Amino acid sequence: MTTDPLHETEIARTLHRCAVVGMPWISLDKRFVRRLVDEGYDEVTILGQGDWDSFDPNRPGITDGFPIDQAERFAEMAHAAGLRVKVFTGYIKYQERILQSDPSRALIRLDPAEMLDSDGVTSNWLCPFQPRNLEDYRNYLKKICRWPGLVEIFLNDEASLGAATNIGCYCQYCSGRFEERTGRPPPRRIDWDSDLWWQWIEYRMDEWTDLHARLRARVRQLLPEVTVSIQHSPLPAVFEINPWKSAVNLGRDARTLDSLCVDPYHQNHCNRIAYRPHRRILAEAARSLIGACLDKPASVMPQAFMPPGRSADLTRQDGLLAGVVPYALGAATIAPYQYHLGTIIPGFNEGLLETRKLQPQFARHEPYAFATVIAPIQSEIFGYPELDWSSRYLTHFADLMYRMGVPWRWFWDDRLYDQADALTGPLIVPDAHCLTRPQIESIRAVADRGEGVIWIGNTPDQAWSGRGPCRPPAKLEFGDIELELDRAHAIHDGLTGPVMLRTHVASAGPDNRSGEVLGTVDGRPGLVLFESGAGREAWLTGVPAFDYVQKSDHSAVRTPASGRELFQRLLLWVADRPPLARLDPFPAPNAYGRLRAWDTRDVPTIELLPMASPDSILATIFHYAPVACETRLLIAPPDGRSVGRAVELWHDVDVTEQFGQDGAGHACLPLDVPGDSELLSILIDLA
Ligand SMILES: [Zn+2]
């Protein structure tokens, strides 16, 4: 990920196309392996069968995966064909047969009701900590480590220690271990005023991290070069579960492991994930995972299967989505799940194969982000544990950023521990009050370099110790809150509607800092600007609303409001440089909105996913839903450079002559995107 392409040297990213392969009865065939090579795959991920028994011929098809002996034979074939070999090893999921014979090996949750998978199917899991379970799993890993060509092992596929508030593990072994440490059995009643409850919550998260660190160390002892990862459910990546429940904190996992993977099945998971249009579920989960991984490679597993009873139809456009969007956002690997199921979807595989023509350009460019947003996961765990805070707050925030037309990225707060040097501005710090002293200093360093910071809502009133609760300094409220702009300033000059906020805090803003108060809420400062020789900062009391619905109207009726536009202007004002590439106007006026200007369900249908190299910009614009729209691509070349030749690569059209200049010194390309457009990928040479 780059925020400053001028300082890069030549870029050569290694990108991988991975075929996820199960179904040994059709896969164990050299001709099939050759087909994968012919289709441009350089990797396979072998699906383990899940349980550790040999394949049961009396129950064929109970899982897609390979029994271990057949998996090894497939690994040999793939390796002989020059493919890198990866493996999904499962662990606590898919062990129903073991649990039937010995229920004491199960993960025990607060509520004995069955665990729900992110697909809404039920499954019962093993306790990950019991020595017998671990011993069996280690032995299984040891066998896998003999395979030829093995480059990556995914541990504990889609696992977690809880869903909703139904947390574990309360098995006899886990309860005993906690009691040894604290003298008390693990508490069963949620009590945020209890030290014991907090000890239990932190203990579970620590044990989860430690378990995978130990498993990684074990594998690396045997195979020092092998990458050890986890393939996570999309729920942590899209902020739909508080990490105190799941024990999964992607930032922490990224620090512990070599790589992470996520499987955001945009049609299968759409009842749990609110991003729209549906294909954005893939984009937002990928953006978030990459914001946790930072320096570690990220793999994205797009949906390439279509259970007729579960998924809306996938089409050629979903094949294009799988082959374009993850790479453009910074993923190193795409691994559509799964190969054989993708080939029976009309058009899907053809689209996926066609995206190979863009892959060399994706490898030559780094994803470019203008704005960086701190993902305040510590604040969620230690400040707002009672609420489904991030599913209300951070998903709204991602939806707001999507409507800004500027490229942006997440930066998970946990990575401030080890990746602070990669933090850049303009930086947005949304209600991240729970930060340690070094973390606060890394954010201050961005401000001191003059790159621009926007603080929103609660800010750290004192440094957090790194353990235990961290109550928000002021109460955060959700609602329709109007920011009264009472002082003239170019930032809000000409805004036509009221500035509505989705949240606000009952606070006067950052302590001990005097700035220019531009707006108020209930008589308290609501928008404050800080300008010094070092640069610009701003504080906003809450997150702007991008849609405002008056209480008297039905909930799809939008009243024009200006929160989004104010926020966009504020971002450009604090920044010390313009975005290298952006879309303007944005949201792009579209055919649906021209007929139904009032409809809040009219969401933007295209996204600019730019990449940069020292000599060029690759501006990919993906069409998430088939609606015609018009906008402009604005390019602000770095100082001393200008736009040279430009070619739209997807349709192979030279667009150099279509570039003009706007009044502000941008090179601008008018875009008239028809409803049936698939994508645009414009390669712009910098002269
Ligand atoms: Zn247990």
Short mmCIF file of all heavy atoms in Angstrom, two decimals, residues 600-630:
data_model
loop_
_atom_site.label_atom_id
_atom_site.label_comp_id
_atom_site.label_asym_id
_atom_site.label_seq_id
_atom_site.Cartn_x
_atom_site.Cartn_y
_atom_site.Cartn_z
N THR A 600 -33.11 6.47 -0.43
CA THR A 600 -31.85 6.18 0.28
C THR A 600 -31.23 4.87 -0.20
O THR A 600 -30.06 4.62 0.08
CB THR A 600 -32.07 6.05 1.80
OG1 THR A 600 -33.03 5.02 2.02
CG2 THR A 600 -32.55 7.34 2.40
N ARG A 601 -32.02 4.04 -0.88
CA ARG A 601 -31.46 2.77 -1.35
C ARG A 601 -30.63 2.95 -2.62
O ARG A 601 -30.02 2.01 -3.11
CB ARG A 601 -32.59 1.76 -1.59
CG ARG A 601 -33.31 1.39 -0.31
CD ARG A 601 -34.64 0.74 -0.59
NE ARG A 601 -35.54 1.64 -1.30
CZ ARG A 601 -36.83 1.40 -1.52
NH1 ARG A 601 -37.37 0.27 -1.10
NH2 ARG A 601 -37.58 2.26 -2.17
N ASP A 602 -30.62 4.15 -3.14
CA ASP A 602 -29.78 4.46 -4.29
C ASP A 602 -28.36 4.71 -3.79
O ASP A 602 -28.01 5.82 -3.41
CB ASP A 602 -30.32 5.69 -5.01
CG ASP A 602 -29.36 6.17 -6.10
OD1 ASP A 602 -28.58 5.33 -6.60
OD2 ASP A 602 -29.40 7.37 -6.42
N VAL A 603 -27.56 3.66 -3.75
CA VAL A 603 -26.18 3.80 -3.26
C VAL A 603 -25.25 3.87 -4.47
O VAL A 603 -25.61 3.41 -5.56
CB VAL A 603 -25.78 2.63 -2.34
CG1 VAL A 603 -26.73 2.52 -1.17
CG2 VAL A 603 -25.73 1.32 -3.10
N PRO A 604 -24.06 4.45 -4.31
CA PRO A 604 -23.12 4.48 -5.44
C PRO A 604 -22.84 3.06 -5.93
O PRO A 604 -22.76 2.12 -5.13
CB PRO A 604 -21.86 5.12 -4.85
CG PRO A 604 -22.34 5.88 -3.66
CD PRO A 604 -23.51 5.11 -3.12
N THR A 605 -22.66 2.92 -7.23
CA THR A 605 -22.48 1.58 -7.80
C THR A 605 -21.09 1.36 -8.36
O THR A 605 -20.78 0.26 -8.81
CB THR A 605 -23.51 1.33 -8.92
OG1 THR A 605 -23.37 2.37 -9.88
CG2 THR A 605 -24.92 1.32 -8.37
N ILE A 606 -20.26 2.41 -8.38
CA ILE A 606 -18.88 2.23 -8.85
C ILE A 606 -17.91 2.66 -7.76
O ILE A 606 -18.25 3.46 -6.89
CB ILE A 606 -18.57 3.05 -10.13
CG1 ILE A 606 -18.81 4.55 -9.90
CG2 ILE A 606 -19.40 2.55 -11.31
CD1 ILE A 606 -18.31 5.42 -11.05
N GLU A 607 -16.71 2.08 -7.82
CA GLU A 607 -15.66 2.52 -6.90
C GLU A 607 -14.34 2.62 -7.66
O GLU A 607 -14.01 1.75 -8.46
CB GLU A 607 -15.50 1.56 -5.72
CG GLU A 607 -14.46 2.07 -4.72
CD GLU A 607 -14.38 1.29 -3.41
OE1 GLU A 607 -14.87 0.16 -3.36
OE2 GLU A 607 -13.79 1.84 -2.46
N LEU A 608 -13.62 3.69 -7.36
CA LEU A 608 -12.28 3.88 -7.92
C LEU A 608 -11.28 3.16 -7.01
O LEU A 608 -11.25 3.41 -5.80
CB LEU A 608 -11.95 5.38 -7.97
CG LEU A 608 -10.50 5.75 -8.28
CD1 LEU A 608 -10.11 5.34 -9.69
CD2 LEU A 608 -10.28 7.25 -8.07
N LEU A 609 -10.49 2.28 -7.60
CA LEU A 609 -9.49 1.52 -6.84
C LEU A 609 -8.12 1.77 -7.48
O LEU A 609 -7.61 0.95 -8.22
CB LEU A 609 -9.83 0.03 -6.89
CG LEU A 609 -11.25 -0.33 -6.42
CD1 LEU A 609 -11.65 -1.71 -6.90
CD2 LEU A 609 -11.36 -0.24 -4.91
N PRO A 610 -7.54 2.94 -7.21
CA PRO A 610 -6.32 3.30 -7.94
C PRO A 610 -5.07 2.64 -7.38
O PRO A 610 -5.01 2.27 -6.21
CB PRO A 610 -6.25 4.82 -7.75
CG PRO A 610 -6.96 5.08 -6.48
CD PRO A 610 -7.96 3.98 -6.28
N MET A 611 -4.10 2.51 -8.26
CA MET A 611 -2.79 2.00 -7.86
C MET A 611 -1.75 2.94 -8.47
O MET A 611 -2.06 3.70 -9.39
CB MET A 611 -2.60 0.57 -8.37
CG MET A 611 -3.71 -0.36 -7.92
SD MET A 611 -3.59 -2.02 -8.64
CE MET A 611 -2.44 -2.78 -7.50
N ALA A 612 -0.54 2.89 -7.95
CA ALA A 612 0.47 3.84 -8.43
C ALA A 612 1.83 3.17 -8.51
O ALA A 612 2.14 2.24 -7.77
CB ALA A 612 0.54 5.04 -7.49
N SER A 613 2.62 3.67 -9.44
CA SER A 613 4.04 3.30 -9.52
C SER A 613 4.79 4.61 -9.69
O SER A 613 4.17 5.67 -9.85
CB SER A 613 4.27 2.37 -10.70
OG SER A 613 4.39 3.12 -11.89
N PRO A 614 6.12 4.61 -9.69
CA PRO A 614 6.82 5.88 -9.87
C PRO A 614 6.51 6.54 -11.21
O PRO A 614 6.62 7.75 -11.34
CB PRO A 614 8.30 5.48 -9.80
CG PRO A 614 8.31 4.20 -9.06
CD PRO A 614 7.03 3.51 -9.39
N ASP A 615 6.09 5.76 -12.20
CA ASP A 615 5.91 6.31 -13.54
C ASP A 615 4.49 6.27 -14.06
O ASP A 615 4.24 6.68 -15.19
CB ASP A 615 6.79 5.53 -14.53
CG ASP A 615 8.24 5.60 -14.14
OD1 ASP A 615 8.68 6.71 -13.78
OD2 ASP A 615 8.91 4.56 -14.14
N SER A 616 3.57 5.74 -13.28
CA SER A 616 2.22 5.61 -13.83
C SER A 616 1.19 5.45 -12.73
O SER A 616 1.51 5.14 -11.58
CB SER A 616 2.16 4.39 -14.77
OG SER A 616 2.62 3.24 -14.10
N ILE A 617 -0.05 5.69 -13.13
CA ILE A 617 -1.20 5.46 -12.24
C ILE A 617 -2.10 4.47 -12.96
O ILE A 617 -2.33 4.61 -14.17
CB ILE A 617 -1.96 6.78 -11.99
CG1 ILE A 617 -1.05 7.77 -11.25
CG2 ILE A 617 -3.24 6.54 -11.22
CD1 ILE A 617 -1.59 9.19 -11.22
N LEU A 618 -2.58 3.48 -12.23
CA LEU A 618 -3.53 2.54 -12.80
C LEU A 618 -4.86 2.78 -12.09
O LEU A 618 -5.00 2.45 -10.91
CB LEU A 618 -3.05 1.10 -12.58
CG LEU A 618 -3.94 0.01 -13.17
CD1 LEU A 618 -3.94 0.06 -14.70
CD2 LEU A 618 -3.48 -1.38 -12.70
N ALA A 619 -5.80 3.41 -12.80
CA ALA A 619 -7.08 3.78 -12.17
C ALA A 619 -8.13 2.76 -12.59
O ALA A 619 -8.68 2.84 -13.68
CB ALA A 619 -7.48 5.18 -12.59
N THR A 620 -8.38 1.80 -11.71
CA THR A 620 -9.40 0.79 -12.00
C THR A 620 -10.71 1.24 -11.36
O THR A 620 -10.73 1.66 -10.21
CB THR A 620 -8.97 -0.58 -11.45
OG1 THR A 620 -7.75 -0.95 -12.10
CG2 THR A 620 -10.03 -1.64 -11.70
N ILE A 621 -11.76 1.18 -12.14
CA ILE A 621 -13.09 1.57 -11.64
C ILE A 621 -13.99 0.35 -11.80
O ILE A 621 -14.24 -0.10 -12.92
CB ILE A 621 -13.63 2.77 -12.43
CG1 ILE A 621 -12.72 3.98 -12.17
CG2 ILE A 621 -15.07 3.07 -12.05
CD1 ILE A 621 -12.87 5.09 -13.16
N PHE A 622 -14.41 -0.20 -10.67
CA PHE A 622 -15.21 -1.42 -10.73
C PHE A 622 -16.68 -1.09 -10.58
O PHE A 622 -17.07 -0.24 -9.79
CB PHE A 622 -14.78 -2.44 -9.67
CG PHE A 622 -15.30 -3.81 -9.99
CD1 PHE A 622 -14.63 -4.62 -10.88
CD2 PHE A 622 -16.51 -4.26 -9.45
CE1 PHE A 622 -15.14 -5.87 -11.24
CE2 PHE A 622 -17.03 -5.50 -9.80
CZ PHE A 622 -16.34 -6.31 -10.70
N HIS A 623 -17.49 -1.81 -11.34
CA HIS A 623 -18.93 -1.60 -11.35
C HIS A 623 -19.59 -2.68 -10.48
O HIS A 623 -19.66 -3.83 -10.87
CB HIS A 623 -19.41 -1.76 -12.81
CG HIS A 623 -20.44 -0.78 -13.19
ND1 HIS A 623 -20.24 0.17 -14.15
CD2 HIS A 623 -21.70 -0.58 -12.74
CE1 HIS A 623 -21.34 0.91 -14.29
NE2 HIS A 623 -22.23 0.48 -13.45
N TYR A 624 -20.04 -2.30 -9.28
CA TYR A 624 -20.62 -3.29 -8.36
C TYR A 624 -22.05 -3.67 -8.74
O TYR A 624 -22.52 -4.74 -8.38
CB TYR A 624 -20.63 -2.74 -6.93
CG TYR A 624 -19.25 -2.55 -6.33
CD1 TYR A 624 -18.84 -1.32 -5.83
CD2 TYR A 624 -18.36 -3.62 -6.23
CE1 TYR A 624 -17.59 -1.15 -5.26
CE2 TYR A 624 -17.10 -3.45 -5.67
CZ TYR A 624 -16.73 -2.20 -5.18
OH TYR A 624 -15.49 -2.03 -4.62
N ALA A 625 -22.76 -2.75 -9.39
CA ALA A 625 -24.15 -3.04 -9.78
C ALA A 625 -24.44 -2.32 -11.09
O ALA A 625 -23.86 -1.27 -11.37
CB ALA A 625 -25.12 -2.56 -8.68
N PRO A 626 -25.33 -2.89 -11.92
CA PRO A 626 -25.51 -2.37 -13.28
C PRO A 626 -26.41 -1.15 -13.35
O PRO A 626 -27.60 -1.25 -13.68
CB PRO A 626 -26.12 -3.57 -14.02
CG PRO A 626 -26.85 -4.33 -12.97
CD PRO A 626 -26.11 -4.12 -11.68
N VAL A 627 -25.87 0.01 -13.04
CA VAL A 627 -26.61 1.28 -13.14
C VAL A 627 -25.71 2.27 -13.88
O VAL A 627 -24.54 2.42 -13.52
CB VAL A 627 -26.95 1.83 -11.74
CG1 VAL A 627 -27.74 3.14 -11.87
CG2 VAL A 627 -27.74 0.82 -10.93
N ALA A 628 -26.24 2.93 -14.89
CA ALA A 628 -25.45 3.90 -15.65
C ALA A 628 -25.16 5.14 -14.79
O ALA A 628 -26.02 5.58 -14.02
CB ALA A 628 -26.20 4.32 -16.91
N CYS A 629 -23.96 5.70 -14.91
CA CYS A 629 -23.65 6.91 -14.15
C CYS A 629 -22.60 7.74 -14.89
O CYS A 629 -21.96 7.26 -15.83
CB CYS A 629 -23.15 6.55 -12.75
SG CYS A 629 -21.67 5.55 -12.72
N GLU A 630 -22.48 9.00 -14.46
CA GLU A 630 -21.48 9.89 -15.07
C GLU A 630 -20.69 10.59 -13.98
O GLU A 630 -21.27 11.04 -12.99
CB GLU A 630 -22.13 11.00 -15.92
CG GLU A 630 -23.07 10.53 -16.99
CD GLU A 630 -24.52 10.68 -16.54
OE1 GLU A 630 -24.87 11.77 -16.03
OE2 GLU A 630 -25.27 9.70 -16.67
#
